[in-house]
Amino acid sequence: MAASLIVRNVRPWGGPLRDVMILDGKIAPDGASPPAGTPEEDGAGHILLPGLVEAHTHLDKTMLGMPWYRNEVGPRLIDKIDNERATKKALGIDPHRQSMRQAIRSVAKGSTHIRSHVDVDTEIGLEGIEGVMRTRDALRDHVFIEIVAFPQSGLLARPGTLELLEEAMRMGSEVVGGLDPCGIDSDPKGHLDAVFALCGRFGKPLDIHLHETGELGAFSTRLILERTRALGMRGNVTISHAFCLGHPDPALIDPLLDEIAALDVRIMTTGAPSRPVPAVAPLTRRGITVCAGNDGIRDTWSPYGNGDMLERAMIVGLRNNLRRDDEVELALRVCTEGGARTMDLPAYGLEPGCDADLVLVRGESVAEAVVDRAPRPLVVKSGRVVARDGRALAEAP
């Protein structure tokens, strides 16, 4: 529900002090007249940013608010996948309750948009999709949640999953998901043909997890790029993690980056410290859109994470050796503008006419705000205050 508001004494992106007027959920042009009785907030000289964008997470998996999970899972990707599938119901991970908890925490940290990959498999069926859709509806005035129907356990390796994925798209999922076509399904052609066909059938974009490294990951990337070009999906494909792009050999990676830039394929990175990762600055210099996300938060995969995209900007900065103030700001723009471009948000930003999805952060500069990560004084969604002083106004179950 859109609203009107005046936010006084703020510094957009750390610039000069000014007032920002919001009319009917949009940032108004300078000189616009507010309706009588329009509420006001004093920004106290804080930095004004567009809302943070959580461009890759798994709302249905978190164990926030549940008993501590003792993680003794093996090191391989398939170990984590199999363990999660086997224990999800036994642990009582209710997708609606848990996604509410994580989404509300993200709102308190300043995120106004979330792209969540939600598991679809033959064990849980569509329960995850149904649960996160309930959360999406319940919190639509607080945060925008976009759902990726995600075959976490494999697509073709588990017969029946493709049909479930198609039903998830019929139910209203916004993005088709995919996963390691070689490493998990061992059928790159079949896997990619299937997910791209779903994109074409429903007119939706693709966001594919690609954990495959080195030559194998480069091979899968080439297949993704070939289909993106052939099927006219320029600007509608995201490769998440893309660990292969962290390979040190330019002869292997540079041709892929040229094609990624030409096809406007978006790259999502968490800045993972344990794997090779795409280098943010060289990619952005090529015009490649790079976004970021917290991935899984306190789940059966990992005990880490708190939903804070300022913290994620710090992690991306550390992983990419971004030290200068302008470099730290680049890491933050990955967690704001990069996510907005990836999610194709049509009216994102701080210019007149943009949606009034805003967050105030403390600091003399943007870099200090990322480094300190102090509680957010104010979070605004469509002109309505949804969090104040680090606490969301919505109640978590």
Side-chain angles (χ1 to χ4, degrees), residues 162 165-166 169 176 193-204:
L162 179 57
L165 209 65
E166 183 167 357
M169 299 309 299
V176 176
D193 284 351
V195 294
F196 274 94
L198 284 178
C199 292
R201 191 172 307 137
F202 291 95
K204 298 295 185 182

Side-chain angles (χ1 to χ4, degrees), residues 1-289:
M1 182 173 61
S4 298
L5 180 69
I6 302 171
V7 186
R8 300 200 181 277
N9 305 313
V10 294
R11 295 180 292 128
W13 280 103
L17 199 68
R18 57 165 295 182
D19 298 339
V20 173
M21 185 180 302
I22 299 164
L23 296 177
D24 297 324
K26 300 282 187 181
I27 297 175
D30 293 340
S33 299
T38 298
E40 299 187 11
E41 295 283 347
D42 183 4
H46 297 309
I47 296 170
L48 180 72
L49 300 174
L52 306 176
V53 181
E54 167 69 88
H56 184 106
T57 192
H58 298 267
L59 290 175
D60 58 314
K61 300 185 182 195
T62 183
M63 296 184 68
L64 284 168
M66 297 178 65
W68 182 257
Y69 174 74
R70 183 173 178 82
N71 192 326
E72 297 176 311
V73 182
R76 300 176 304 162
L77 180 68
I78 194 63
D79 295 332
K80 296 174 176 62
I81 291 171
D82 288 346
N83 173 70
E84 180 183 61
R85 189 175 63 250
T87 60
K88 192 179 295 183
K89 288 188 176 181
L91 291 171
I93 302 176
D94 177 80
H96 171 56
R97 181 193 65 216
Q98 295 308 118
S99 60
M100 285 285 289
R101 289 175 177 175
Q102 182 178 325
I104 288 171
R105 178 172 292 210
S106 292
V107 170
K109 303 288 188 181
S111 287
T112 56
H113 297 81
I114 298 172
R115 172 178 280 189
S116 178
H117 296 252
V118 180
D119 284 7
V120 174
D121 64 47
T122 52
E123 292 288 332
I124 196 171
L126 297 168
E127 290 179 21
I129 296 289
E130 292 164 350
V132 178
M133 283 184 172
R134 285 179 61 198
T135 296
R136 181 180 65 183
D137 292 342
L139 296 179
R140 66 172 62 255
D141 290 336
H142 299 258
V143 61
F144 172 74
I145 297 174
E146 182 179 69
I147 294 174
V148 184
F150 176 49
Q152 174 71 89
S153 296
L155 184 62
L156 306 180
R158 295 181 67 84
T161 305
L162 179 57
E163 290 75 15
L164 288 168
L165 209 65
E166 183 167 357
E167 182 58 28
M169 299 309 299
R170 288 197 189 96
M171 290 168 62
S173 300
E174 290 91 352
V175 184
V176 176
L179 172 70
D180 293 341
C182 295
I184 298 298
D185 266 349
S186 301
D187 184 357
K189 181 181 184 303
H191 182 101
L192 293 175
D193 284 351
V195 294
F196 274 94
L198 284 178
C199 292
R201 191 172 307 137
F202 291 95
K204 298 295 185 182
L206 174 69
D207 190 333
I208 182 167
H209 282 59
L210 192 63
H211 305 97
E212 298 162 3
T213 57
E215 294 277 2
L216 182 62
F219 171 72
S220 291
T221 301
R222 284 192 292 271
L223 295 182
I224 292 167
L225 297 176
E226 287 173 2
R227 284 161 175 77
T228 301
R229 186 189 319 107
L231 298 173
M233 286 191 61
R234 184 183 187 279
N236 285 293
V237 172
T238 300
I239 302 177
S240 285
H241 300 299
F243 293 141
C244 64
L245 298 183
H247 194 280
D249 183 3
L252 178 67
I253 300 307
D254 284 354
L256 296 178
L257 296 182
D258 290 341
E259 191 73 357
I260 286 168
L263 292 171
D264 193 17
V265 169
R266 289 77 190 269
I267 301 298
M268 193 293 302
T269 182
T270 65
S274 59
R275 308 291 287 276
V277 294
V280 167
L283 265 64
T284 55
R285 284 196 294 268
R286 288 174 176 262
I288 296 171
T289 295

